[in-house]
């Protein structure tokens, strides 16, 4: 990083030019992205469950808007419905409105049923029809019954003329069973909620149930048409109005929260920094990160969930840490190069671990969560690129200045060492033990309705419309058997095979059979007519005349007897499908699904599922309750996966970065303990995880590891260089945490349950993480390196804790001086002692040495320190011109009195010992002895 900084600093034009060109290159693919608002993309559906949910959604009418007319009398409500439907058809002719069952609709429905009736009868129906038509007494009885029905008011003449002998009554019964499991009162063709004066109209949205923007405009049109149609109170209900009200509530809550957050954050930053012009670089860094994410996603995806971008507000709260920490350290007048030297490592380590945590979302089933993981990782990656490459060259530089009052207060808070307060740490330990007892009882809320926003009117309407639900047998559940194929005819053929294994149920294939079944039934009917048609017509004509009928009045029936029936053409067949069973048929991406509705008890479910799995692999069983339970289990499994994967990735990279398992445990412990606190407090306060706040687990690790890495780096820096740094890191974390609390905490003013849940869990989680980061790493680190008020001669390690009494060799004693000084320092010292010391040891012990020995080319003074330990009577000087190396050596504990470090050669006569470059297999050493009484430099 420093080398790149030096290259760009010598060419001051390069940084802004590269940044501008890169931004333009990223802008082009970002403009090609399309956005959707489908919330179901966040649900981990497999293909079967997804298809089942689509079928259930279609059958439950989720694309319909229920319009309620609350007149004082049913007549007034019916008139309001009629006026509304007329005006809607004029204003929005492309929108289907079902306000009543009119004569034309009823005629079309009856015509469709009796058009297919002769060729959809099953074998028993057909056998019964044959016996009736060939028996004069049966014909007489049936025609006499038809004549009596005609005498009653409201008799359906179309049904009687189409089926005077009631041959197709069983077909009509099967058609009626295809109706939804709800009922309404019918009066003069108008629908009413049972036992009320409230009339109902249904408006089918042409946009489906997910396009809230289009549906919002449709609802506004419905309200305006209703206002000009009637003075009766009118309001809408259903899945679409609830979805729109949820979207509107989220937008309203977001605007309020963002306004509060932006105002408070602006005030916080304004009063925290002296160099306020540099504050503009914070949104610039995050803005570049967002552009970077959208640009890369534009190359990988055609579309992305708009909800994912909405969650970006939380991710921005993490991304803002990187420029904020950089500017916080530079605000005191430190040169950007020095800031980069001190912060590049913790910034990059924290960024990589956070990116790793978010990438854990990519293998999940839900497409939106995959996009969220990618978007978050790319946003954070783009932000860190801006911070470590471009930000140092864009800072406005000034000399040192006094901190602002707010910054001074933050510094005083950060300088408070809660980890050294024994009472406080013991209290935290006791609370952790108590919360550990409660943390295992935290639950996942499987009811998705609990994260929906319902207005008071919607709650009232829900109670009202429950009257339309039929009293179902609670011992039996509603299931759907779904068959899939490339064509409708193939799907119907599969359903016909399945229906033979199920008694009862609502099978569309019993009304609309496959082509092969149609052909067989047509031939069966025509064969009968060819053999007995004349006899049937003779019997029917004679009996009809006797009963006072004109036989020509039954032409719809007699035509089928005289001329037989033909295979329905495609246009007529499609009309029958739309009229009788369109809701049971879905077509998605070239795959046609046909559903059947059955009621089963638990024993029947297991038996049928076994049959389907063995005999009908193309069919599967779906139940909404089982789907929700499966969804909850999937979310719970994915929650466990996210927690485990994030833990392993973060811990593994911490170990790799710090180079010591002890330091990785210190950095990871706050996150582990904070989860005990979070889960325990959630159980105590009655909070539950849900599909929204479950994503918080990633954010906790994403934000928490940044905090703990900075604190751990801070205590290591102070231990290594003996210079204060921890308070500065804490100040940056404090300001960052306040920004996060303000940004997400402002959602506590929300009315939407999902946002409110997210806000409380986030505030609870992040507050716990910050507290743990402030206290645990310094406390644990001091346990390793300090005893009471002084540093230990031998810092604790896991090995020393397991084997507390062990002797130390000279090299072991030297290595112990460098424990916890950083991975680079420890690796360099370990390598030098491992390869150079065995070769030079004999020379160090055997040769006579002057009173002063100067050692050069040494790794952080480790060979000079070894030499001083071996020769306590010789004054050893480690010579190094690098101030960072000198600071490390001066920060070592329990140094021998004959050892010192200097940037210059001694003035007195000395022996020069040069630790030359070496390799593992052929290391070299060289010493030059000065003449007595002469200076050798």
């Amino acid at each position: 990083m420093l080398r790149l900084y030096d290259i760009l600093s010598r060419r001051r034009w390069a940084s802004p030019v590269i940044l501008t060109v890169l931004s333009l290159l990223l802008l082009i693919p970002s403009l090609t992205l399309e956005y959707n608002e489908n919330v179901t993309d966040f649900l981990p559906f497999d293909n079967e469950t997804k298809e089942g949910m689509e079928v259930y959604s279609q059958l439950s009418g989720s694309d319909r808007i229920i319009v309620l007319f609350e007149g004082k009398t049913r007549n007034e409500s019916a008139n309001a419905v009629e006026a509304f439907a007329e005006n809607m058809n004029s204003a929005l002719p492309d929108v289907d409105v079902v306000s009543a069952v009119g004569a034309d609709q009823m005629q079309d429905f009856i015509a469709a049923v009796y058009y297919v009736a002769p060729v959809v009868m099953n074998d028993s129906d057909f056998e019964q029809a044959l016996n009736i038509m060939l028996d004069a007494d049966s014909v007489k009885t049936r025609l006499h019954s038809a004549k009596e029905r005609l005498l009653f008011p409201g008799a359906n003449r179309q049904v009687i003329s189409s089926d005077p002998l009631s041959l197709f009554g069983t077909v009509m019964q099967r058609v009626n069973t295809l109706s939804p499991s709800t009922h309404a009162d019918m009066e003069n063709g108008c629908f009413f909620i049972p036992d009320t004066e409230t009339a109902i109209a249904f408006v089918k949205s042409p946009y489906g149930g997910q396009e809230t923007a289009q549906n919002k405009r449709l609802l506004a049109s419905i309200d305006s048409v209703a206002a000009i149609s009637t003075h009766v109170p009118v309001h809408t209900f259903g899945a679409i109005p609830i979805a729109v009200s949820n979207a509107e509530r989220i937008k309203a809550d977001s605007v309020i929260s963002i306004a509060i957050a932006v105002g408070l954050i602006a005030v916080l930053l304004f009063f925290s920094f002296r160099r306020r012009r540099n504050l503009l670089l914070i949104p610039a860094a995050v803005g570049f990160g967002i552009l970077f994410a959208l640009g890369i996603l534009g190359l990988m995806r055609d579309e992305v969930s708009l909800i994912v971008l909405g969650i970006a507000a939380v991710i921005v709260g993490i991304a803002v840490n990187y420029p904020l920490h950089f500017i916080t350290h530079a605000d005191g007048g430190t040169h950007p190069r020095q800031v980069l030297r001190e912060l590049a490592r913790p910034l990059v380590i924290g960024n990589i671990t956070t990116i790793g945590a978010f990438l854990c979302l990519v293998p999940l089933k839900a497409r939106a969560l995959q996009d969220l993981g990618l978007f978050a990782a790319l946003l954070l990656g783009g932000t860190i690129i801006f911070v470590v490459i471009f930000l140092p060259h864009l800072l406005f530089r000034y000399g040192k200045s006094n901190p602002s009052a707010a910054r001074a207060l933050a510094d005083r808070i950060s300088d408070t060492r809660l980890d050294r307060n024994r009472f406080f740490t013991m209290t935290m330990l006791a609370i952790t033990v108590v919360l550990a007892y409660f943390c295992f009882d935290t639950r996942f809320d499987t009811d998705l309705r609990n994260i929906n926003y319902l207005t008071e009117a919607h709650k009232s309407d829900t109670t009202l419309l429950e009257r339309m639900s039929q009293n179902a047998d609670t011992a039996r559940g509603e299931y759907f058997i779904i068959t899939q194929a490339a064509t409708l005819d193939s799907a119907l053929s599969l359903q016909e095979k399945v229906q033979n294994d199920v008694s009862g149920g609502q099978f569309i294939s019993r009304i609309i059979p496959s082509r092969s079944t149609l052909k067989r039934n047509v031939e069966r009917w025509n064969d009968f007519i060819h053999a007995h048609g004349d006899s049937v017509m003779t019997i029917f004509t004679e009996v009809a005349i006797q009963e006072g009928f004109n036989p020509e009045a039954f032409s719809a029936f007699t035509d089928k007897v005289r001329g037989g029936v033909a295979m329905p053409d495609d246009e007529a067949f499609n009309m029958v499908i739309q009229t009788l069973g369109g809701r049971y048929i879905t077509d998605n991406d070239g795959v046609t699904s046909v559903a059947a509705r059955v009621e089963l008890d638990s024993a029947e479910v297991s038996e049928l599922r076994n049959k389907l799995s063995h005999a009908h692999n193309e069919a599967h069983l779906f139940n909404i309750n089982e789907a929700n339970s499966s969804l909850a289990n999937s979310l719970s499994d994915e929650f466990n996966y996210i927690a485990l994967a994030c833990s392993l990735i973060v811990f593994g990279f911490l170990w790799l970065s710090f180079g010591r398992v002890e330091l990785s445990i210190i950095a990871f412990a706050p996150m582990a303990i904070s989860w005990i606190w979070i889960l325990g407090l959630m159980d105590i306060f009655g909070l539950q995880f849900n599909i929204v706040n479950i994503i918080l687990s990633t954010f906790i690790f994403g934000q928490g590891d940044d905090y703990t890495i900075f604190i751990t780096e801070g205590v290591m820096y102070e231990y290594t260089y003996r210079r204060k740094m921890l308070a500065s890191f804490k100040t940056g974390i404090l300001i960052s945490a306040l920004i996060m609390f303000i940004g997400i905490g402002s959602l506590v003013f929300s009315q939407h349950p999902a946002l409110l849940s997210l806000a409380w869990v986030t505030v609870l989680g992040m507050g716990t993480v910050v507290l743990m980061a402030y206290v645990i790493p310094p406390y644990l680190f001091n346990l390793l390196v300090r005893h009471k008020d002084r540093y230990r001669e031998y810092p604790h390690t896991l090995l020393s804790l397991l084997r507390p009494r062990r002797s130390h060799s000279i090299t072991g004693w030297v290595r112990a001086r460098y424990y916890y000084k950083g991975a680079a320092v420890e690796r360099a010292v370990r390598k030098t002692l491992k390869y150079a010391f065995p070769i030079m040891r004999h020379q160090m012990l055997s040769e006579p040495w002057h009173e002063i020995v100067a050692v050069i080319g040494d790794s952080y003074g480790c060979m000079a320190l070894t030499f001083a330990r071996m020769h306590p009577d010789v004054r050893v000087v480690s010579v190094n011109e690098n101030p960072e190396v000198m600071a490390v050596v001066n920060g070592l504990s329990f140094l021998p009195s004959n050892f010192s470090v200097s940037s210059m050669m001694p003035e007195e006569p000395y022996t020069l010992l040069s630790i030359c470059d070496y390799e593992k297999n052929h290391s070299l050493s060289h010493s030059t002895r000065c003449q007595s009484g002469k200076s050798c430099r």
Side-chain angles (χ1 to χ4, degrees), residues 104-114 172 175-176 579-580:
D104 293 340
Q105 293 174 306
M106 184 61 72
Q107 288 177 0
D108 292 342
F109 176 76
I110 294 172
V113 172
Y114 288 101
M172 180 62 80
V175 170
N176 290 333
T579 304
L580 301 182

Side-chain angles (χ1 to χ4, degrees), residues 740-762:
M740 174 64 78
F741 288 142
I742 293 171
I744 304 300
S746 60
L747 290 174
V748 298
F749 299 102
S750 303
Q751 298 181 39
H752 195 283
L755 297 183
L756 195 60
S757 166
L758 180 63
W760 281 115
V761 175
T762 302

Side-chain angles (χ1 to χ4, degrees), residues 237-257:
F237 183 69
I240 289 177
I242 290 177
V244 171
S245 67
N246 270 265
E248 291 300 300
R249 186 69 263 164
I250 289 175
K251 291 177 183 177
D253 288 343
S254 299
V255 170
I256 295 172
S257 302

Side-chain angles (χ1 to χ4, degrees), residues 13 179 351 712 882 915:
W13 55 268
S179 61
N351 180 262
T712 306
N882 189 328
I915 310 300

